[in-house]
Amino acid sequence: MHSAAPPQKSQELELKLTLPYANQDELARLISKSAPLTRRKSTTQRLLSVYYDTPEQHLRKKRMALRVRQVDSSSGPVWIQTLKTGGASGSALSLRGEWETPVQNSDVSSAALEATPWREIDPDGTIFQALVPCFSTRFDRTSWLIRTKDHSLVEVALDIGQIESDQQVAPICELELELKAGNGMSLFDLGLNIATRVAVLPASLSKAERGYMLAAGTLDMPVRSAPPQLSTKQSLVEAAQQILRESFSQFTKNLEMAMLTDNPEVVHQARVGWRRFKSALRLFKPALAWDQ
């Protein structure tokens, strides 16, 4: 076990977008010419991440992700261990707890987990002892730091590379807009501006979720409806949000799958998700006066 500095805790608010491009070489140039990024300086890094879980996938079931990432720096490569919580939002917009700690190498460090919620799920250390590498990601990240009109600070990151698991690979071609400071609505405003120049799709699946699916051989399988479990204690607004989120997630996840497979059921389930979303929107719109 290696010693580690105290982890830096933060909440990560991020909008994820998929870029449906076969030719990825021109993407950075196209995105840099969108209005918010014009004449903004970019930086490029090569990132290698190893994701850990138990064979029973304790972390995935707890909506957690644990990775160790190699990052380029001016003094050479450094390793950073990251624990994320609450990542399975089913939406392109995600709010997650995040704890980052520098570590010595790609081996997962128990010392780096001491000031995180890890102890709540693993009080006796048995889960940590069972951790094994599950999959990895390898990609180039081109990033821009943008100050928006409302003075929010947003990092725009273009990731191009692949997910790897047992000699299987899946492409990574996505745009992440992460709020560093300010108003979360600035993510949508910035994303809409970029979308006028570059075609984008909402990305409901994180790299970790896609990695688990690749390892399980289910990355090209259709995503079917999973009706939300509603409660009588929920308000109408909360119920509407839950139903709309789930149906839109079915739509967007199948759109992502359609770029990887010719399975006609994937396209069919995308249509089912879109019809469910439109029906729910018509149902709730009068009661919630969303047209005002």
Side-chain angles (χ1 to χ4, degrees):
M1 181 179 71
H2 302 299
S3 61
Q8 297 180 359
K9 178 185 181 297
S10 66
Q11 278 195 323
E12 179 188 60
L13 182 62
E14 185 177 79
L15 179 64
K16 301 184 294 294
L17 302 170
T18 295
L19 300 161
Y21 284 82
N23 183 356
Q24 302 169 355
D25 294 337
E26 290 292 303
L27 273 176
R29 185 185 66 82
L30 287 172
I31 292 171
S32 67
K33 290 185 176 298
S34 62
L37 305 182
T38 304
R39 295 186 296 275
R40 302 296 178 96
K41 184 179 179 181
S42 66
T43 60
T44 301
Q45 290 181 309
R46 177 154 294 181
L47 304 178
L48 167 64
S49 302
V50 180
Y51 287 77
Y52 287 84
D53 205 340
T54 67
E56 298 77 20
Q57 298 187 351
H58 282 89
L59 301 189
R60 185 186 191 185
K61 294 172 183 176
K62 293 288 186 180
R63 299 173 58 192
M64 303 174 78
L66 178 63
R67 71 167 187 239
V68 183
R69 170 173 286 177
Q70 185 186 60
V71 182
D72 294 334
S73 72
S74 57
S75 59
V78 297
W79 290 92
I80 299 175
Q81 180 171 300
T82 303
L83 176 69
K84 293 190 179 187
T85 60
S89 66
S91 168
L93 184 70
S94 62
L95 178 62
R96 300 178 287 193
E98 182 180 74
W99 290 260
E100 292 190 332
T101 314
V103 291
Q104 293 187 2
N105 52 42
S106 63
D107 295 333
V108 69
S109 166
S110 61
L113 296 170
E114 289 180 357
T116 75
W118 184 266
R119 187 176 295 275
E120 298 173 14
I121 67 159
D122 188 26
D124 59 1
T126 55
I127 293 178
F128 181 85
Q129 293 299 323
L131 292 175
V132 293
C134 297
F135 53 88
S136 61
T137 61
R138 195 184 306 268
F139 57 90
D140 292 328
R141 167 169 287 177
T142 303
S143 56
W144 298 260
L145 202 58
I146 306 300
R147 181 71 69 177
T148 63
K149 290 182 179 179
D150 66 354
H151 305 293
S152 297
L153 188 63
V154 178
E155 181 186 58
V156 179
L158 170 64
D159 294 342
I160 297 178
Q162 63 186 26
I163 306 170
E164 304 169 355
S165 175
D166 290 334
Q167 300 183 339
Q168 300 181 88
V169 298
I172 294 172
C173 186
E174 61 188 34
L175 201 63
E176 295 183 351
L177 281 63
E178 182 179 348
L179 185 69
K180 296 297 185 180
N183 185 353
M185 287 302 298
S186 62
L187 299 179
F188 291 99
D189 294 337
L190 187 53
L192 286 171
N193 281 331
I194 293 174
T196 63
R197 185 86 185 187
V198 180
V200 298
L201 295 171
S204 298
L205 295 170
S206 67
K207 293 182 183 71
E209 290 174 285
R210 294 181 67 214
Y212 279 116
M213 295 171 73
L214 177 65
T218 60
L219 191 55
D220 60 350
M221 298 295 290
V223 177
R224 304 181 187 277
S225 62
Q229 299 298 315
L230 301 178
S231 167
T232 56
K233 297 181 180 179
Q234 287 178 292
S235 67
L236 181 60
V237 171
E238 291 171 337
Q241 289 174 336
Q242 190 173 345
I243 292 170
L244 289 167
R245 185 184 301 115
E246 188 280 327
S247 55
F248 191 71
S249 175
Q250 182 191 7
F251 169 60
T252 56
K253 286 180 178 178
N254 281 291
L255 280 184
E256 292 183 65
M257 302 300 179
M259 293 188 289
L260 302 174
T261 178
D262 294 328
N263 186 345
E265 185 63 19
V266 170
V267 177
H268 173 66
Q269 290 300 322
R271 295 175 59 193
V272 170
W274 184 240
R275 290 198 299 267
R276 294 176 61 227
F277 178 80
K278 291 195 298 182
S279 297
L281 192 61
R282 286 194 297 268
L283 175 65
F284 288 110
K285 191 174 182 179
L288 301 179
W290 284 356
D291 57 340
Q292 294 183 2

